[in-house]
Amino acid sequence: MEIKKHFFFILLLLCSVQLHSQHLVRMFAEVDTEKQVLAVKEEITFNNQTNDTLHSVILNDWNNAYSAKDTPLAKRFSDEFVRAFHLASDNDRGNTTIHSVSDQYSLSIPWQRPEGHPDLVELRLNSPILPGRQFKITVNYHVKIPADRFTRYGYNDKTKSLILKDWFLTPARFENNQFAKYSNENLDDIANATSDYYINLTVPKNYYLTTDLNEHDKYDKKGLWVYELEGNNRLGFTIALDQFDRFEDFKTENATVVCNFWDGRVTEVQKNTIINQIALFTQDKLGSYPFEKIMVTQTDYDRNPMYGINQLPAFISPYPDSFIFEIKFLKTYLNNYLKNTLKLDPRKDNWIYDAIQIELMIKYIEQYHPDRKMMGKLSNWGILKGHKIFKMDFNDQYSYVYLLTARKNLDQPIGDPKNTFIKFNEQISGKYRAGLSIYYLDDYLGENIVPATLTDFYKVNLSSRVTNRNYFKNILNSKTTKNTDWFFDTVVDTRDIIDFKFKRVIEEKDSLKITIKNRKETEVPVSLYGLKKGKVVFKQWLEGIKTDTTLTVARQDADRLALNFNNEIPEFNRRNNWKRLDKFFPNNKPLKFTFFQDIEDPNYNQIFYVPSFVFNIYDGFSPGLRFHNKSLLDKPFIFDIEPTYSIKTNELIGSFSLLFNQYIRIGQLYSIRYAVGSSTYHYAPDARYLKFNPSVLFRLREDDYRENKKQSILVRQVLVNREKSAYIATDEQNENYSVFNLRYSRYESEIIRHYNFFTDLQLSGSFGKVSGEIQYRRLFNDNRRINLRLYAGAFIYRSTDSEFFSFGLDRPTDYMFDYSLYGRSETTGLFSQQYVMAEGGFKSKLDNRYANQWMTTANASFNIWNWIEVYGDAGFIKSHYTDAEFVYDSGVRLNILPDYFELYFPVYSSNGFEPGLGNYDQKIRFVVTISPSTLVGLFTRKWL
């Protein structure tokens, strides 16, 4: 077997040795730092290293991705609600201007940008390149470098510095008889062919140049510095230009580390020690770095930081300054080390980069900081010690963060192309899942098989032009007799979740008869532990458990059994992984009350409590205490009880809800939420309402998770009981009533375009009505923004004379208590001016504010400068025994934060010229959102 293993690896290594030289790129470039432009003459000696005759060649030109507002890069920004790129000037966005392309005979080569890929260049060769032959291409072009505020690469207007990465033309990766045609989507996954670079770069004398290329010479030419740079067998390189020398060189046994991490709190001695330690660790785990220098820049870290550490304010400082520097450097160093050496397809096989990076980070912490807690020294604060999150080891964060998306049914297969991931999966959760998965494989195989595989895979990459996941799989399988198909076919290529539990355990003298249930039927190995007084007395891996499986094991004096005890498996739910063998104690978990909120603790049934408040003018700022079981990870069943004390009425008010979320893993219907809720607050100074609301919500999404498109179907019954009030006229029909509501909604949203549509049916004993709404927002290329809305509603039947259930022209009566109205019964004063975009959507209060037969309105607004807009509303309203009436209004809207903070100033309406009618301050309308849960959605939409 050993001879077979060694023979296989030697054969694989020989097959990957380069039989032909790399592409050769000679570049003569002059930098104009004032205009942020590079004038480039580039000579590419293209070596056909394939077995195909090539009639065309693809060059990557990722700098041109910044050239317009409709490129794939711009679309990515829009999908993630990043406005800066769309609002930027053409000068800030950058571009590539190609002046000429010729061959070795000085004949012009026709070129074009492939449809849908403005950041690629396709050369139609005048004569084909035969296998093993060379062909020379000369390109003259100008590169306008973009501002760094979009991707952090580019020029910084404040410091006048430039970070240049992926700015030049270079041959694209060729594999499986085709060139990789990947556009720049801000993912650091450019698919370059391996090339040798020789660069002659001219820069102003007042600029320092730093690069990971080798610097052969530097000389003066007409008051400018000319650098001669060289790099062999490279996938790319980085150049930094700055008026100040911000980089330091650190000599290690492996290579010179060029770093500009800005942290004055860490001494030079500490930096040297940390950098040398990380360099030696990486060399030991993978192999020697093949180049003389490696750059580790603050820009690289800022693009993909260690989330958690970078979010905490400096005054908290939960970790020593040296550890913060260490973990930041470790993550960035490993990323650049792998990206510069592995010859993988960085888009299709990105999971391998992530898996190796995160697993090495886990092992580094195990080796050098085994006692480090995830929350650092905050774990020692007395008030926090009772929280599970403050007891967790540093490495525990990876599994919990992965579960953030898995529990929301938003996780994606780690083996999918990188550009298909939602942002949270691409930058955080998917990376962690990849690292956890290979750590899982390592624990299962044991015998140093995975570490040896990584070392050999790294060696193959150093000697190969291209590699892929099959190289990794073949090396792994050559070292073990165990089946690893489950890892590649299930863990990597599917989003099947892993969840095992104990079904029953029967004690038989010195043995245990154990039945294990595979709750999701994902057939992967699971680890079984026996514990005695918290210490492991045995561990074994179980395989082939697809359904309920019974096995017998020796008890070995264990008093407790556990599945996945050390969390080596990225499991969906660990709360069902325990079984006590002491029959004097029940298996039920004890209750644990925790202040505020906590991470999920599988050892307890958790109940969280937190102070809260609600506000309306009838109850005032009312304090309360909220009890719930919603941890930082979503659960199927959630209860939420919020008793509150009304300081104005001296009565108990509040709400409760019971939710059950059914997540469906396959298909467009991905969630069904069953809910029962109730609330009671005051709707008038002397009267309260009680609302009871059972409902079922069906949610649908596109197969492509990056599409910001969702659909929902809501079925609910709203039962309302209103006390009589001396201030508000009520009758029997609008005191106690029940409404059946069926609503279909659909929305599609991104920064440049938002669309939503709904239809609504309401049936009650005294009325039936149907309505629909279409809303559309568009941000144009000239940065003008338009909002359009159409609404129509009509009664099917009606047997009440009250206007309480009528359509509202400027504000709904909200008889189902769906909106957060601070003064819902007010007709004058500040709180009567609160605006809700619903039903008629008018801003002016007209004489006839309600329609008891039908209503149709149109609302529009258009920005004239930044967030200052003009608006107009028009429509028809119809009530019984009156003719249809045309109504309109217009004014100015300050759209400071759409849907969260807005002001409306009426100008002209059916009433006349509003400012001239008196009491103008009472006509101004406002939108103010103070709900924390609503505001959170504003910040999470770009991630999920």
Side-chain angles (χ1 to χ4, degrees), residues 825-845:
S825 298
E826 299 303 292
T827 56
T828 61
L830 175 64
F831 290 98
S832 70
Q833 296 167 228
Q834 182 183 359
Y835 176 73
V836 175
M837 175 58 85
E839 298 188 357
F842 271 53
K843 289 78 183 176
S844 295
K845 297 180 182 179

Side-chain angles (χ1 to χ4, degrees), residues 76 80 405 410-412 418-428 704-708 942-944:
R76 187 94 182 184
E80 295 175 356
T405 51
L410 285 170
D411 55 310
Q412 296 170 271
K418 189 176 183 180
N419 64 327
T420 64
F421 293 153
I422 61 175
K423 186 175 180 179
F424 194 85
N425 287 337
E426 181 260 315
Q427 293 202 1
I428 310 176
D704 181 358
Y705 290 8
R706 286 201 55 81
E707 292 284 349
N708 294 323
K942 67 173 62 177
W943 290 95
L944 303 175

Side-chain angles (χ1 to χ4, degrees), residues 476-494:
L476 177 71
N477 288 337
S478 73
K479 298 179 181 297
T480 181
T481 57
K482 292 183 178 180
N483 180 27
T484 62
D485 289 345
W486 60 269
F487 176 77
F488 296 95
D489 297 342
T490 302
V491 175
V492 173
D493 285 336
T494 76

Side-chain angles (χ1 to χ4, degrees), residues 145 254 380 874:
I145 301 299
N254 199 4
N380 300 323

Side-chain angles (χ1 to χ4, degrees), residues 278-505:
I278 291 173
L280 288 173
F281 170 84
T282 308
Q283 180 176 342
D284 177 64
K285 298 299 182 183
L286 293 176
S288 295
Y289 191 67
F291 310 119
E292 293 182 16
K293 292 190 291 184
I294 179 170
M295 282 185 75
V296 182
T297 70
Q298 185 70 37
T299 295
D300 292 331
Y301 174 76
D302 290 341
R303 281 182 55 80
N304 207 326
M306 189 68 185
Y307 289 96
I309 286 181
N310 74 308
Q311 305 297 320
L312 295 172
F315 70 88
I316 292 180
S317 298
Y319 309 103
D321 295 334
S322 60
F323 179 74
I324 294 176
F325 175 86
E326 185 174 3
I327 202 70
K328 288 167 59 177
F329 182 86
L330 172 67
K331 189 174 193 291
T332 312
Y333 180 83
L334 287 173
N335 179 72
N336 292 357
Y337 202 99
L338 295 168
K339 289 294 179 69
N340 292 342
T341 55
L342 300 189
K343 309 295 175 52
L344 294 160
D345 185 316
R347 183 159 292 182
K348 289 196 303 185
D349 287 331
N350 180 72
W351 70 271
I352 299 180
Y353 293 101
D354 291 341
I356 298 173
Q357 180 195 36
I358 300 302
E359 199 213 14
L360 291 184
M361 290 182 68
I362 292 172
K363 291 193 170 182
Y364 181 88
I365 295 297
E366 289 178 344
Q367 182 171 332
Y368 293 105
H369 301 280
D371 299 324
R372 181 74 64 188
K373 298 299 180 183
M374 189 177 81
M375 300 304 293
K377 69 182 182 182
L378 298 182
S379 304
N380 300 323
W381 290 14
I383 194 174
L384 304 176
K385 284 185 177 180
H387 289 70
K388 171 71 173 178
I389 193 171
F390 294 99
K391 297 178 182 178
M392 291 167 51
D393 290 334
F394 189 86
N395 283 336
D396 288 340
Q397 65 182 296
Y398 299 109
S399 60
Y400 278 96
V401 172
Y402 150 64
L403 287 174
L404 283 175
T405 51
R407 293 283 186 90
K408 293 180 183 294
N409 203 8
L410 285 170
D411 55 310
Q412 296 170 271
I414 59 174
D416 280 4
K418 189 176 183 180
N419 64 327
T420 64
F421 293 153
I422 61 175
K423 186 175 180 179
F424 194 85
N425 287 337
E426 181 260 315
Q427 293 202 1
I428 310 176
S429 184
K431 284 179 174 290
Y432 291 1
R433 170 63 193 270
L436 292 168
S437 298
I438 203 166
Y439 189 88
Y440 172 23
L441 179 68
D442 188 5
D443 196 292
Y444 166 71
L445 293 178
E447 300 179 353
N448 204 44
I449 289 173
V450 168
T453 298
L454 295 183
T455 301
D456 289 350
F457 181 65
Y458 181 79
K459 290 178 182 177
V460 168
N461 275 271
L462 297 186
S463 58
S464 176
R465 292 192 303 271
V466 295
T467 59
N468 53 49
R469 69 179 67 185
N470 290 329
Y471 283 67
F472 180 81
K473 183 177 181 179
N474 291 336
I475 294 172
L476 177 71
N477 288 337
S478 73
K479 298 179 181 297
T480 181
T481 57
K482 292 183 178 180
N483 180 27
T484 62
D485 289 345
W486 60 269
F487 176 77
F488 296 95
D489 297 342
T490 302
V491 175
V492 173
D493 285 336
T494 76
R495 59 190 298 264
D496 294 348
I497 56 179
I498 302 170
D499 189 9
F500 293 92
K501 65 173 289 186
F502 288 108
K503 189 170 184 180
R504 72 177 67 89
V505 175

